[in-house]
Amino acid sequence: VRLVPGDRLLVESDTPDQPAPAYRREGSRPEQVAETVACLAGLLGRSSPELCEQIERNWRSLFLGGAESRREPPMVLDEHR
């Protein structure tokens, strides 16, 4: 992850067969992406809220052409705002 340029990083939750270790018996669920973000933030030496903001900018750039919009990304991690 340290080799990925910050403006190219996205996080997704569509991995039903690869849940986080704490959820091995339950399977992967979208709300668990917050743990992935926290792990990535730790590896990158950044805070989770800061990384969430970067990921949202990346999402907007990719899917909205960088345009400001009221449209929200598929999952906004409110607990990190």
Side-chain angles (χ1 to χ4, degrees), residues 2-60:
R2 290 183 189 112
L3 299 176
V4 176
D7 65 344
R8 299 289 190 253
L9 184 64
L10 292 173
V11 179
E12 58 92 19
S13 63
D14 190 23
T15 57
D17 62 330
Q18 299 174 27
Y23 301 99
R24 292 279 186 236
R25 295 178 193 262
E26 299 173 33
S28 185
R29 298 176 46 97
E31 61 270 15
Q32 297 163 1
V33 77
E35 290 186 38
T36 302
V37 170
C39 179
L40 292 174
L43 290 171
L44 296 170
R46 299 172 70 181
S47 70
S48 289
E50 178 187 4
L51 187 57
C52 283
E53 289 173 12
Q54 178 69 59
I55 291 168
E56 183 172 347
R57 283 192 304 272
N58 296 348
W59 184 92
R60 289 182 186 284

